[in-house]
Amino acid sequence: MKKIISAFMILVFSLSITAQEHTSETVKDKEKTEASFFWGLFKSKRYPKDKTVVFDFEVSKTSEELNSTKENEYKEKSILGGAIKWTKKKPKKEVMSIDPKAIQEIDTTIALKERFGFIANEIGDSRIVALGEQTHTPDISFKVRADLIEYLIEYHDFDLILFESGLFDIQLATENMQKSNSIQDLQNGLYGFWGQIPQHKRLFEYFQSKLDSKEGIAFAGFDHKVTSKLVGTTDIYSKTLSALLLDIDIDPNSTEYKEYIATWQAIEENRKKGGLSQLVFPMTETEKNHFAKLSAYFQQKVLATNNKLWQHIIRGYDEGVILYSDFSMEKAQSDPSYILKINNNRDRLMADNLKFLLGEVYKDKKIILIGATYHFSKNVDKVTPNNIMGVDFSKSYTAGELISTEYDEKIFTIGFTAPASYTCNNDVYKGSLACLQKNKGYDIAYHPLHQWNLEEEDESKQQILRLFVPQMATKHPNWNEVLDAVVLINK
């Protein structure tokens, strides 16, 4: 039965590309906390590629290269699945054990400035704040986070939002938005569970007011694959790609150009079938290798014109096509290593996009990251139980981990949990943060993990957090190595 449920959830997430079709009523009907791990099923990170499919052109550094250039700053953490992870050495600071007085109530009935006034001291001079959701199932935590986004923009001058959405999807959506002066165009480029939900109604109204007043808030995506109906059910990508290549004087009669554009046209036509076809474009090993070589060839041509943005778009979207080309429900259900490979490669590609966007395109911006908490977390390999809905955390890499080598001191990460109830007279939860919060009478509260010494090697004494799946209690030897703070919501 567990395998059937897991397989069903994989199927549902694979179809989330069609989430733009969801109406607010549909979302509301499904608005509940459910043990979904949708965000974890197609995430990719540092994982050895299939040796039969090799991209000849690679811009981003490998972990080994990063280690050799930063060996004085980083230490080898663990060797898992053929990959090496590093954690930045931070200067030791005095931290106290859990102080219930430091738990901050988030009272949704008072004005934003008073509600989140404590945040200023928390984030300090961090240029980047990552706000993660437990799952992609909308609930009250989405509204709480939306209010915090508005607060950060209004009172702390944050001026860019990076969504866990397709790099090209949001580029196209923002171009449309600038022409129409309508925030609806941005919403059309997002997943439906962000763009079309009642919890974000006020937030998009706020964005519209900023757009109307010409106040500069920018939007971008950092995912490596097509994520919206705007792109996923049209031929806009192949047309834009074709125009770009012709604009840099690629010969339209060349075999490479004809084969490459024809492949993307076939991918788009396949997506129109709906269902898994929106994710999966079947390819043989020979076809995958040939497509990879074409991709590398055109990446080099585009990069030669110093168009790094489109080099990243091409690389990510093409690798995504290859990555999901042999996906099937049977394989996802029976082969955990296959899901791990997809997960790890997705986060690797997202981390590469983030490094580029944070370090080159938007290096002078104050940035809010929106996505799944898992993507922004670090050191998840020590989470127990380490197998969560079929994903082996002990061999997982997150985008947060991979960008921490360069941005650890600049990013402040807050995870938001879905509403959950806790039995606090139970020995399991008695000393948990959730029960400390409950004892204070707070429905919604902020817990500053970075302030506290939560280190505990004895698993029986480790803090419990339902951080990744609402119904699953997980432990970690030191949660403040995973993220800086968490917002818990008690039912």
Side-chain angles (χ1 to χ4, degrees):
M1 178 61 72
K2 287 183 179 179
K3 284 188 176 182
I4 294 173
I5 293 172
S6 229
F8 173 73
M9 295 173 73
I10 293 169
L11 174 62
V12 173
F13 183 76
S14 70
L15 302 182
S16 66
I17 191 172
T18 63
Q20 295 295 337
E21 297 174 358
H22 295 175
T23 63
S24 296
E25 182 180 357
T26 303
V27 174
K28 188 173 181 181
D29 290 341
K30 298 175 73 176
E31 201 173 299
K32 57 185 178 180
T33 22
E34 46 188 56
S36 60
F37 202 66
F38 301 161
W39 47 263
L41 293 171
F42 302 116
K43 288 194 280 357
S44 39
K45 302 171 246 166
R46 188 151 309 277
Y47 190 91
K49 296 177 184 175
D50 186 334
K51 293 181 180 179
T52 63
V53 181
V54 180
F55 278 78
D56 298 322
F57 183 72
E58 185 88 28
V59 169
S60 62
K61 291 183 179 180
T62 64
S63 294
E64 291 76 12
E65 289 171 327
L66 283 171
N67 186 47
S68 64
T69 59
K70 302 270 187 181
E71 59 184 356
N72 293 326
E73 296 182 59
Y74 303 94
K75 62 181 180 178
E76 181 177 321
K77 181 184 176 188
S78 61
I79 299 179
L80 298 168
I84 302 178
K85 295 169 81 174
W86 290 270
T87 300
K88 186 169 184 178
K89 290 183 177 178
K90 290 185 178 180
K92 289 186 177 181
K93 61 179 180 179
E94 292 298 323
V95 290
M96 61 180 126
S97 57
I98 297 173
D99 178 10
K101 294 179 182 178
I103 299 173
Q104 298 282 343
E105 181 180 21
I106 298 177
D107 184 350
T108 58
T109 66
I110 62 177
L112 290 180
K113 192 171 184 179
E114 288 71 37
R115 190 186 317 174
F116 295 112
F118 63 88
I119 285 290
N121 290 330
E122 283 293 291
I123 64 177
D125 60 357
S126 298
R127 183 172 73 89
I128 306 158
V129 175
L131 304 178
E133 61 210 46
Q134 188 179 51
T135 73
H136 289 325
T137 304
D139 53 55
I140 190 175
S141 68
F142 281 54
K143 179 64 171 69
V144 176
R145 182 181 61 180
D147 291 342
L148 179 55
I149 292 169
E150 183 176 341
Y151 168 81
L152 291 171
I153 295 171
E154 196 68 16
Y155 297 104
H156 294 284
D157 301 320
F158 281 80
D159 53 0
L160 171 69
I161 298 180
L162 289 182
F163 290 96
E164 181 199 328
S165 291
L167 199 55
F168 176 72
D169 297 63
I170 304 303
Q171 181 194 41
L172 178 63
T174 53
E175 288 176 359
N176 292 343
M177 178 187 72
Q178 288 161 3
K179 293 175 184 176
S180 68
N181 199 52
S182 171
I183 205 67
Q184 183 62 52
D185 282 311
L186 172 65
Q187 293 173 257
N188 292 340
L190 294 168
Y191 279 120
F193 49 70
W194 288 328
Q196 312 295 336
I197 60 172
Q199 292 90 339
H200 282 172
K201 182 177 184 294
R202 161 62 195 167
L203 181 63
F204 284 109
E205 289 173 349
Y206 174 71
F207 289 158
Q208 182 66 59
S209 71
K210 292 294 184 181
L211 190 61
D212 292 339
S213 63
K214 308 301 180 185
E215 295 183 47
I217 299 178
F219 305 94
F222 63 85
D223 206 340
H224 77 95
K225 59 186 177 66
V226 172
T227 59
S228 70
K229 181 182 177 182
L230 177 67
V231 177
T233 60
T234 68
D235 58 1
I236 187 65
Y237 181 73
S238 66
K239 287 183 176 179
T240 306
L241 179 61
S242 174
L244 172 82
L245 296 179
L246 295 178
D247 192 51
I248 61 172
D249 296 327
I250 297 295
D251 182 1
N253 295 313
S254 67
T255 301
E256 292 85 358
Y257 170 83
K258 289 181 178 180
E259 290 181 348
Y260 186 55
I261 295 302
T263 301
W264 262 107
Q265 289 172 338
I267 292 168
E268 291 170 331
E269 194 61 32
N270 185 66
R271 283 180 175 153
K272 293 176 184 178
K273 298 176 184 177
L276 273 180
S277 296
Q278 295 184 58
L279 181 73
V280 181
F281 181 70
M283 285 181 165
T284 65
E285 291 301 315
T286 299
E287 289 169 337
K288 285 190 281 188
N289 277 299
H290 185 61
F291 185 59
K293 289 178 180 178
L294 289 173
S295 178
Y297 172 77
F298 287 112
Q299 285 182 60
Q300 289 176 323
K301 293 293 185 182
V302 169
L303 197 60
T305 67
N306 203 34
N307 192 336
K308 295 182 180 179
L309 175 62
W310 262 96
Q311 185 271 324
H312 277 77
I313 291 173
I314 291 172
R315 179 191 179 205
Y317 282 33
D318 289 355
E319 284 204 41
V321 169
I322 293 173
L323 185 62
Y324 301 117
S325 63
D326 58 352
F327 176 84
S328 69
M329 293 304 301
E330 292 75 20
K331 185 177 289 189
Q333 187 176 341
S334 63
D335 186 0
S337 66
Y338 176 72
I339 295 300
L340 181 68
K341 174 184 175 181
I342 290 178
N343 283 359
N344 284 355
N345 273 291
R346 182 169 176 226
D347 269 41
R348 172 181 59 80
L349 291 164
M350 289 199 296
D352 186 49
N353 287 341
L354 280 169
K355 288 179 183 179
F356 168 65
L357 294 170
L358 299 176
E360 296 189 46
V361 182
Y362 303 113
K363 61 183 179 181
D364 297 321
K365 293 281 190 181
K366 293 188 72 174
I367 301 168
I368 299 171
L369 303 181
I370 302 298
T373 296
Y374 174 88
H375 292 310
F376 303 141
S377 299
K378 300 177 295 182
N379 303 303
V380 298
D381 57 291
K382 292 182 181 178
V383 168
T384 55
N386 57 29
N387 191 305
I388 300 179
M389 299 303 292
V391 179
D392 187 351
F393 271 41
S394 71
K395 296 179 181 178
S396 291
Y397 273 76
T398 62
E401 179 95 37
L402 295 172
I403 67 173
S404 67
T405 54
E406 297 173 37
Y407 294 99
D408 195 42
E409 298 297 327
K410 300 174 184 176
I411 300 179
F412 194 89
T413 304
I414 305 173
F416 289 73
T417 69
S421 58
Y422 297 85
T423 306
C424 292
N425 58 0
N426 184 310
D427 288 340
V428 175
Y429 288 105
K430 197 171 185 180
S432 68
L433 296 178
C435 288
L436 289 175
Q437 172 178 323
K438 188 174 183 178
N439 292 339
K440 291 174 72 70
Y442 297 162
D443 292 329
I444 306 171
Y446 173 94
H447 298 256
L449 303 180
H450 70 103
Q451 291 187 22
W452 300 332
N453 181 7
L454 303 174
E455 188 170 357
E456 178 57 70
E457 293 301 323
D458 184 346
E459 186 176 328
S460 66
K461 299 178 182 179
Q462 290 172 4
Q463 265 293 326
I464 290 176
L465 280 178
R466 296 180 183 177
L467 191 62
F468 304 108
V469 178
Q471 284 82 0
M472 181 170 286
T474 50
K475 295 182 177 183
H476 192 278
N478 196 351
W479 280 109
N480 60 29
E481 291 183 351
V482 178
L483 67 173
D484 295 297
V486 64
V487 172
L488 299 182
I489 301 176
N490 279 329
K491 282 185 177 178

